[in-house]
Amino acid sequence: MGRPVNPLNQEDQPRWFLLAMASRWPLAIVLATWSAALAAIQILGQPIPIAVKRQMPFPVVLKGPIQV
């Protein structure tokens, strides 16, 4: 019979395939970080709308004397 084929044997796999398999997780992390950074730039590039009712003053309690 022939030699059993072991997919983990480095002699059976082409070099480019081994390199592609070794770099898939680092490449996935880099791409995920890049896409998250682009999304953050798009979201934070615009002002965040904050609704404040102008009819009522802010509820502020002053404690102690005020010196101006």
Side-chain angles (χ1 to χ4, degrees):
M1 294 200 156
R3 184 176 88 181
V5 177
N6 184 1
L8 298 178
N9 191 356
Q10 292 184 1
E11 296 173 0
D12 294 337
Q13 304 291 338
R15 185 122 176 115
W16 65 267
F17 183 77
L18 293 174
L19 182 61
M21 290 295 109
S23 64
R24 63 184 168 169
W25 276 107
L27 183 62
I29 292 172
V30 168
L31 288 176
T33 305
W34 178 69
S35 64
L38 284 179
I41 289 171
Q42 291 292 322
I43 292 171
L44 297 176
Q46 301 170 358
I48 300 172
I50 300 174
V52 178
K53 295 181 182 179
R54 294 183 182 212
Q55 291 85 13
M56 297 176 57
F58 287 117
V60 177
V61 178
L62 298 175
K63 294 186 178 182
I66 298 177
Q67 296 177 355
V68 180

